[in-house]
């Protein structure tokens, strides 16, 4: 483990984060957008964990943080998917460009 | 947004799926065109004719003896009553009285056929519901009956044994003994059917309240046989217009009034008990005598129209013969039980799941060539 | 059962491979054929009365499974053999053809019963019966009878196994290509 | 006496032998390859044997003989099947998503393989012994459903899609019950490591030690695991009488064989897990203080114990399939969500209470 | 009933019925005596068919290669689907009279439905059913049989 | 290079390649599958860092949970024929420009900083210690978040049900 | 031998499936006809594509599943220490379960657990 | 045995159906009704409390060379008596009768079958298609003048 410097992890997670950002902007489909968000969340998790392991191996804050992030991501995904499917039922599409009027 | 509808179906549009003709649970080559909402069926269109063999047309160029072997092939699971129907109709037209022995033997055969048919139904029904072992137990017991058949008539399934005027040949000397052996055997095995399937909580959940058919609808659709009697339609021809030896045996007409799949199931199970009762009564009283009445080698029916119905394992089988005094009939029409039973399925299956449709069609005990002829 | 106990050995000889590959190929070929012949999964396809005897053949008394034929597949993709058990009428013929087409190679066909061979009881005077399933798809083994008893079906299956064992890859393809 | 059959001695000696002559990296690689080959063989042979076993078992249940013509007692039957399937045509339906269609069997097989690697077969005889053992198996098996969903979607067929959706809904639902019922033993033993759980049963299996709640958890586990492996009476995904062949309708030849294999291996996995967690894994059966009896029991090698118990559980699972009618999809989900899940939650609290009061042995 | 009690009693009852079912199946599992499978190809030598079994129509010949068929054609008429074709030939018999005898009694096994009408109506009982069933072939034409053996002749005493 | 490093390289490569594929593929289910691979190799990274429990959670929750329901929703809303339109060019340009600029900035910042491991003895990261911290109320105890998670889950559950069930009222029951 | 053996098993899986598929692809016979490549639908030509209509049930259950999955993940570490920690842990889990039980009860009441 | 008075039933029927002709038939009361009144009479037969023919046993199409007819076998499940109803037309090109599917539900499919095999049309029938044969089948096989040289082997 010692041979891999921490920076590698950080670079990895940065790249992943910005790929997520790019996906968020490029794709117009709600589910793909959700997936991009998951990518970003994931990259953040890698950061937390790596820094925890490298810099503060005597504690577990980073670890717990990611743990809770995963849980929150799950909760978020479940609500988001419920919304997406509801939008789909209403508009028959989940392209953001076509879902103009979000009224009930 | 609008043009996407072509490929993306919303929740409220019907969605059509085919079940059959090659499908394990349509018992042959029936095809259901299902319109679904989600997994709920809201329309069933049965398409038949995948085994329409033109039997009625063939009858018009066959003599009455030859017709017999065609009737076997309609409802092949209970072949005897089919043969019996034509024979009775011809005998009625000719005004022939068959010997007592023939009557009793015909009745026994009908009941044995009913037992065999119900056993096969039981295993097929179990298979439909996914209980795979029923298949083997049902057929295991059925083999015993087939042995009786084979010993006397030389064939296991399609016998062409009952013919106008009586029987093709005399029964085998072992006939009586075999039946006597069979009844106690089956009395032991039948409770197992209950333990395995009827009592099972999964089975009950899957069949209770499924496929309701009210009495009025049953009559209006002409659903007869055990399926009709599950709705309380008292349609047993054996009781209402007794033929052969049915007027002298004591049996109950099984009636359940719930009208669901479970009721139809129970009617058949109860009928098996009744059939065994009938067999027990008759097996010792087979009178001696001829196995056939005196018949001319070529039968010519007097001009007229004749109708005869019998109770097969599936319901009322009617034979309608129009004759012009020839050796060939002008028109033979078979009012087959399954034909009417099948078309009630749309009424019964609406609002249920696909799996329930399978259960319902299983509980109707469909034999497809009987529908298509 | 011995070779002599079977009938129609003459036809079987026709399938036998002519010429010879190396020893290795022959061994491989026979291994493959051994596998194929001992594991013929039938399609659940029964149109009428013969289907009941097919079911009986699968049941406890006769037990198809002893031959390794027990896995009835409902999807033609996974089946190896269609047992045409019953009458084929004109309305059904395209369906049968389609099912056959949709099966994966190698595939075999058994025509069970008089109807599937020639129309049987419905040979004359009817307007809707196909006189023999071999007008629709190529048939490997014919089992006469109406219905053939389960043992006869078992016998037919053994004949099919012999045929599979006898033929080589080229033969198989040729017979199919020669079918119109 | 306890450690009469300690396989770590064997593995250690192999390790030592290799280490004596090779560099550590090579030792490592060779060991990996060895383990890999052993498991490859084990997996394939076990799969073939299970298929054969099921056929014989159901044949006996149904008063018949089952395959008995290929080889003595038909044991080569499944090999013949395998050969046949290997030489059967592979094709992909038009308009199907080729990549995903090909990927699906990989996912299903890998999920089951990775889980099976974590089972301890005897003392010192396991490939992966993580300290999150139980949880790892749960996590990995939950991937299998992805394969099924992909298979159904990518084959562009209605039946496949319906079957995939059904089995997807079913597997994810029952995963909860599997997880919760395994939790019962984790509370008792205080560890998730499978080897520790087995060790903790040296003086009695959890199904006996854990009073009624443990037995209850065992029953729920059996039901839920049967459902999760898509076996009858929960085989809705491939309900022949409704959906012809379910999600693998369009699969042919060897690809189909892998789904078939995965089903059996998952069944084995379920049984092995039940054995490990509830029935003491490779621990012999001990009867209180009858030391003579216990002494005899100790002589039976641990893997015999393990496979013996596993096959008993497998037999029970097979019995389920061959006895019961299939459930309907809504009943299936009702069973999980309205019966198993609440009861399971209740059960956990009861167990926690028992542990709290120290009532367990 | 209290819904909670009902909930639990339902479970108990349901499980009870399931166990009853499993008792039946595992009962058979542990009683292999009840296996009824007859091993067809292995038991071929001991397999005795019931004598009335209708496997195919045959024409019995005696040791002199003689049969009882007069070639009257009644079976052909009675067969519902034309499975029998009678080809007759004219020969001069011993007394110098020219008589019609059977030349070929063609029987299409591929079409026969085993209805038994031909056997029943044959006036001289020349044909009977044989309890054989091993007929499967690779070629459909092999199923067209000639019942009278080549070179056979009619038995004495069978009236024309 | 030791085996450890190779493994890290593999994981990193898989993560990067498949995350790019995730956002560039035009078939949505493939995107979901690629995402699955990304998440799995992330779990691999956690494993590599010896946070086994976290890796397990990653597999069970992310790969086995979130991805599965994403796939589910795709199955419900997309047909196999469905392909995305090509994204508009300004979207592509702005998206990738933002990504490139952002990552270059961030990476240069990261590289310019020298992270010093605070050399302390690593504590045991087994499930036991995780569990202990999770239920402990004292210092380094996470019992509050643990309970709050349950409330969050409750909220999510209710929210999802409310949203999902909303339209059910106007879909009339199927008439006989 | 932990994370390596995971990769090892991954590789075994790939080798097993990939090898067999490649082998079979190479040796198995091939033939093609138009009907073969069409999806199977009981022998009837397929009409409109393989689109099935979605059912609210499927996604409702999957969503509820996700919520409970998270819960299980969190009580696993709790389970391992229940024995050692004792009363505190017991009280905490009771609270946790009560809150979740409320969720389940809500879903039950709202008929979200009923298949439609 | 059917326990009803043959003659009494015939009287009741003739009172209910003016214009019907009664044939002698030893088995059933057999009435030939004018085609135009078919639906009206059928409804009356079902509804009238004296007859209550609620069960259509069988509906047959008949071709007797010169005329086409449809035969109804009716039975009453309550009063346990039966009768036969007939309608006849000599129009072989375009025979048409009223549909009775709204009176007896089973008639819907009997009528489809008759249409399929004999080419008799039914007015107001909801879904008059071929039932057994392919949709592109030419001719009506149960008619006496049906010829099919390819398939019918004598
Ligand atoms: S051959 Fe005979 S038994 Fe077989 S399907 Fe035809 S009629 Fe039926
Ligand atoms: S077999 Fe009998 S019926 Fe037929 S031609 Fe010969 S004698 Fe006549
Ligand atoms: S048994 Fe019947 S079908 Fe066969 S040849 Fe004789 S008459 Fe013809």
């Amino acid at each position: 483990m010692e041979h891999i410097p921490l920076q590698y992890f950080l670079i990895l997670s940065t790249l992943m984060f910005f790929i997520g950002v790019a996906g968020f902007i490029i794709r117009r489909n709600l589910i793909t957008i959700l997936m991009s968000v998951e990518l970003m969340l994931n990259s953040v998790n890698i950061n937390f964990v790596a820094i925890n392991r490298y810099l503060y191996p005597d504690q577990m804050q980073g670890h717990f943080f990611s743990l809770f992030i995963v849980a929150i991501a799950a909760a978020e995904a479940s609500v988001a998917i419920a919304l997406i499917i509801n939008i789909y039922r209403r508009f028959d599409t989940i392209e953001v460009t076509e879902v103009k009027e979000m009224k009930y | 947004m609008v043009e996407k509808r072509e490929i993306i179906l919303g929740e409220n549009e019907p969605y059509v799926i085919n079940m059959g003709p090659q499908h394990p649970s349509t018992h042959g080559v029936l095809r259901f065109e299902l319109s679904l909402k989600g997994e709920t069926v809201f329309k069933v269109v049965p398409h038949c004719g995948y085994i329409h063999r033109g039997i009625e047309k063939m009858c018009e160029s066959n003599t009455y003896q030859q017709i017999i072997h065609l009737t076997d092939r309609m409802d092949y699971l209970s072949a005897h009553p089919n043969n019996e129907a034509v024979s009775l109709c011809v005998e009625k037209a000719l005004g022939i009285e068959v010997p007592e022995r023939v009557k009793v033997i015909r009745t026994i055969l009908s009941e044995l056929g009913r037992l065999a048919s119900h056993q096969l139904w039981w295993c097929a029904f179990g298979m439909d519901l996914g209980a795979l072992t029923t298949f083997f137990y049902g057929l295991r017991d059925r083999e015993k009956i087939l042995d009786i058949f084979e010993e006397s008539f030389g064939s296991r399934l399609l016998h062409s044994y009952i013919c106008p005027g009586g029987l093709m040949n005399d029964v085998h000397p072992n006939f009586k003994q075999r039946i006597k052996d069979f009844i106690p055997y089956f009395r032991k095995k039948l409770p197992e059917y209950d333990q395995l399937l009827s009592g099972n909580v999964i089975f009950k959940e899957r069949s209770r309240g499924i496929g309701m058919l009210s009495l009025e609808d049953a009559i209006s659709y002409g659903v007869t046989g055990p399926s009709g009697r599950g709705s309380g339609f008292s349609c047993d021809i054996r009781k209402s217009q007794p033929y052969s030896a049915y007027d002298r045996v004591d049996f109950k007409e099984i009636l359940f009034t719930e009208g669901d799949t479970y009721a139809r199931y129970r009617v058949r199970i109860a009928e098996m008990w009744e059939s065994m009762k009938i067999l027990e009564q008759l097996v010792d009283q087979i009178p001696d005598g001829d196995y056939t009445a005196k018949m001319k080698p070529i039968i010519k029916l007097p001009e007229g129209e004749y109708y005869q119905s019998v109770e097969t394992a599936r319901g009322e089988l009617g034979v309608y013969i129009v004759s012009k005094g020839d050796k060939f009939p002008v028109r033979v029409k078979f009012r087959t039980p399954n034909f009417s039973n099948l078309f009630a399925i749309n009424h019964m299956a609406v609002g249920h799941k696909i799996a329930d449709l399978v259960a319902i069609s299983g509980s109707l005990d469909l034999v497809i060539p009987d529908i298509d002829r | 059962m011995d070779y002599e106990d079977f009938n129609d050995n003459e036809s079987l000889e026709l399938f036998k491979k002519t010429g010879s590959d190396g020893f290795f190929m022959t061994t491989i070929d026979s291994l493959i054929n051994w596998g194929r012949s001992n594991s013929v999964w039938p399609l659940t396809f029964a149109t009428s009365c013969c289907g009941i005897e097919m079911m009986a053949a699968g049941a406890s008394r006769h037990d198809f499974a002893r031959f390794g034929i027990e896995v009835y597949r409902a999807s033609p993709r996974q089946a190896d053999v269609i047992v045409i058990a019953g009458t084929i009428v004109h309305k059904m013929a395209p369906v049968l053809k389609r099912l056959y087409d949709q099966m994966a190679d190698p595939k075999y066909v058994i025509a069970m019963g008089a109807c599937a061979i020639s129309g049987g009881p419905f040979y004359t005077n009817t307007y809707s019966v196909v006189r023999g399933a071999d007008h629709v798809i190529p048939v490997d083994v014919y089992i006469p009878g109406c219905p053939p008893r389960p043992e006869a079906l078992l016998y037919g299956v053994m004949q099919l196994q012999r045929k599979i064992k006898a033929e080589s890859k080229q033969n198989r393809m040729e017979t199919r290509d020669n079918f119109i | 006496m306890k450690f009469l059959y300690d396989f770590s001695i064997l593995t250690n000696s192999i390790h030592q032998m290799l280490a004596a002559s090779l560099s550590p990296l090579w030792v490592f690689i060779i060991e990996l390859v060895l383990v890999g080959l052993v498991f490859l063989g084990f997996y394939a042979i076990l799969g073939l044997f299970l298929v054969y076993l099921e056929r014989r078992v159901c044949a006996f249940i149904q008063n018949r003989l089952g395959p008995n013509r290929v080889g003595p007692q038909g044991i080569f039957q499944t090999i013949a099947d395998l050969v046949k399937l290997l030489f059967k045509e592979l094709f992909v339906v038009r308009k199907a998503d080729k990549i995903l269609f090909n990927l699906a069997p990989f996912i299903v097989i890998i999920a089951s393989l990775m889980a099976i690697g974590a089972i301890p077969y005897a003392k010192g005889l396991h490939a992966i012994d993580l300290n999150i053992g139980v949880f790892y198996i749960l996590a990995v098996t939950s991937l299998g459903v992805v394969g099924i969903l992909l298979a159904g979607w990518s084959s562009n067929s209605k039946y496949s899609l319906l079957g995939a959706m059904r089995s997807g809904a079913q597997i994810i639902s029952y995963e909860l019950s599997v997880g919760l019922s395994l939790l019962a033993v984790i509370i008792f033993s205080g560890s998730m490591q499978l080897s520790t759980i087995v060790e903790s049963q040296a003086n009695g299996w959890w199904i006996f030690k854990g009073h009624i709640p443990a037995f209850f958890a065992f029953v729920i586990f059996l039901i839920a695991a049967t459902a999760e492996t898509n076996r009858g009476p929960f085989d809705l995904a491939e309900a022949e009488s409704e959906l012809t062949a379910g999600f693998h309708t369009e699969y042919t030849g060897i690809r189909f064989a892998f789904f078939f294999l995965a089903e059996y291996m998952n069944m084995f996995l379920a049984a092995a897990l039940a054995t490990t967690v509830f029935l003491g894994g490779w621990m012999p059966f001990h009867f209180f203080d009858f030391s003579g009896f216990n002494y005899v029991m100790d002589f039976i090698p641990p893997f015999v114990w393990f496979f013996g118990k596993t096959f008993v559980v497998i037999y029970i699972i097979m019995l389920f399939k061959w006895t019961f009618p299939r459930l309907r999809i809504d009943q299936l989900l009702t069973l999980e969500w309205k019966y198993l899940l609440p009861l399971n939650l209740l059960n956990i609290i009861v167990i926690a209470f028992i542990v709290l009061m120290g009532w367990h042995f | 009933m209290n819904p909670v009690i009902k909930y639990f009693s339902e479970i108990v009852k349901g499980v009870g019925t399931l166990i009853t079912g499993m008792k039946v199946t595992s009962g058979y599992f542990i009683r292999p005596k009840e296996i009824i499978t007859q091993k067809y190809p292995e038991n071929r030598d001991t397999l005795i068919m019931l004598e009335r079994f209708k496997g195919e129509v045959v024409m019995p010949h005696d040791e002199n290669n003689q049969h009882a068929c007069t070639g009257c054609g009644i079976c052909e008429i009675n067969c519902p689907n034309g499975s029998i074709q009678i080809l007759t030939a004219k020969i001069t018999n011993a007394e110098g009279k020219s008589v019609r005898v059977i030349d070929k009694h063609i029987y299409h096994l591929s079409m026969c439905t085993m209805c038994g009408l031909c056997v029943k109506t044959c006036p001289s009982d020349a044909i009977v059913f044989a309890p054989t069933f091993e007929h499967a072939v690779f070629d459909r034409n092999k199923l067209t049989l000639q019942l009278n053996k080549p070179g056979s002749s009619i038995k004495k005493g069978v009236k024309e | 290079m030791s085996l450890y490093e190779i493994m890290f390289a593999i994981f990193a490569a898989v993560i990067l390649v498949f995350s790019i594929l995730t956002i560039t593929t035009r078939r949505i289910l493939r995107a979901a599958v690629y995402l699955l691979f990304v998440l799995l190799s992330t779990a691999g990274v956690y494993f590599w860092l010896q946070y086994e429990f976290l890796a397990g959670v990653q597999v069970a929750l992310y790969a086995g949970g979130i991805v599965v329901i994403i796939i589910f929703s795709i199955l419900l809303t997309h047909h196999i024929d469905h392909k995305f339109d090509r994204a508009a060019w300004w979207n592509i340009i702005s998206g990738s420009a933002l990504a490139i600029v952002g990552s270059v900035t961030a990476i240069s910042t990261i590289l310019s900083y020298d992270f010093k491991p605070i050399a302390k003895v690593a504590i045991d990261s087994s499930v036991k210690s995780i569990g202990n911290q999770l239920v402990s109320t004292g210092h380094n105890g996470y019992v509050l978040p643990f309970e709050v998670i349950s409330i969050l889950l409750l909220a999510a559950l209710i929210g999802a049900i409310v949203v999902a069930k909303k339209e059910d009222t106007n879909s009339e029951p199927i008439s006989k | 031998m932990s994370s390596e053996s995971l990769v090892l098993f991954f590789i075994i899986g790939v080798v097993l499936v990939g090898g067999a598929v490649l082998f079979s692809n190479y040796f198995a016979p091939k033939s093609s006809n138009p009907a073969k490549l069409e999806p199977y639908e009981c022998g009837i030509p397929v009409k409109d594509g393989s689109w099935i209509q979605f059912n609210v049930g499927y996604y409702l259950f999957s969503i509820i599943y996700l919520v409970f999955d998270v819960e299980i993940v969190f009580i696993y570490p709790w389970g391992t220490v229940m024995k050692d920690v004792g009363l505190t842990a017991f009280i905490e889990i009771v609270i946790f379960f009560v809150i979740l039980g409320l969720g389940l009860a809500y879903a039950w009441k709202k008929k979200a657990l009923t298949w439609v | 045995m059917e326990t009803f008075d043959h003659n009494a039933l015939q009287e009741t029927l003739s009172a209910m159906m003016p214009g019907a002709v009664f044939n002698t038939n030893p088995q059933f009361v057999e009435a030939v009704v004018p085609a135009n009144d078919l639906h009206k009479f059928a409804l009356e037969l079902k509804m009238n409390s004296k007859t209550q023919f609620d069960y259509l046993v069988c509906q047959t199409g008949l071709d007797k060379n010169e005329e086409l007819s449809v035969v109804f076998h009716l039975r009453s499940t309550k009063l346990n008596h039966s009768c036969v109803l007939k309608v006849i037309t000599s129009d072989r090109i375009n025979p048409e009768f009223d549909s009775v599917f709204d009176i007896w539900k089973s008639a819907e499919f009997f009528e489809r079958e008759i249409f399929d095999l004999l080419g008799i049309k039914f007015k107001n029938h909801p879904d008059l298609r071929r039932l057994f044969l392919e949709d592109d089948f030419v001719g009506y096989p149960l008619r006496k003048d049906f010829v099919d040289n390819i398939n019918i082997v004598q």
Side-chain angles (χ1 to χ4, degrees), chain B residues 53 73 76 157-158, chain C residues 47-51 85-87 112-116 119-122 145-148, chain E residues 113:
Chain B
R53 309 187 272 203
R73 275 127 188 114
Y76 44 74
L157 193 66
L158 309 174
Chain C
T47 58
S48 52
C49 0
C50 279
T87 326
M112 178 186 182
C115 287
F122 313 102
C146 183
Chain E
T113 64

Side-chain angles (χ1 to χ4, degrees), chain E residues 16-98:
Chain E
T17 62
L18 296 184
I19 290 175
T20 326
M22 278 164 67
K23 253 195 237 149
V24 175
T25 43
S26 55
Y28 280 111
F29 179 73
I30 55 173
R31 290 201 303 269
K33 267 211 310 290
E34 305 224 4
I35 289 179
I36 57 162
T37 308
Q38 53 178 28
K39 307 181 186 170
Y40 157 60
E42 288 91 354
N43 74 350
R44 191 157 169 271
D45 300 329
T46 53
L47 185 72
I48 299 159
M49 301 301 297
L50 295 167
E51 72 265 35
R52 285 194 189 175
F53 176 67
K54 298 191 269 193
E56 64 176 324
V57 175
V58 292
M59 186 178 285
H61 289 60
D62 62 9
E63 61 278 9
N64 303 328
N65 202 11
Q66 287 182 326
H67 57 74
C69 174
T70 57
C72 63
I74 288 178
C75 53
E76 185 181 8
I77 296 168
N78 269 295
C79 179
N81 56 354
S83 305
I84 294 179
Q85 279 169 310
I86 307 288
L87 301 179
T88 50
K90 281 239 160 58
I91 56 159
T92 35
N93 66 356
E95 292 139 38
K97 267 194 278 172
S98 157

Side-chain angles (χ1 to χ4, degrees), chain D residues 152-182:
Chain D
W153 194 77
S154 63
S155 20
N156 186 25
S157 153
K158 290 175 192 174
Y159 290 120
S160 302
L161 194 48
L162 255 174
M165 296 286 262
R166 279 181 172 193
S167 72
Q170 169 188 345
I171 293 177
I172 59 174
S173 301
Y174 278 87
E175 216 170 276
L176 300 177
S177 280
V178 171
L180 281 175
S181 45
L182 289 178

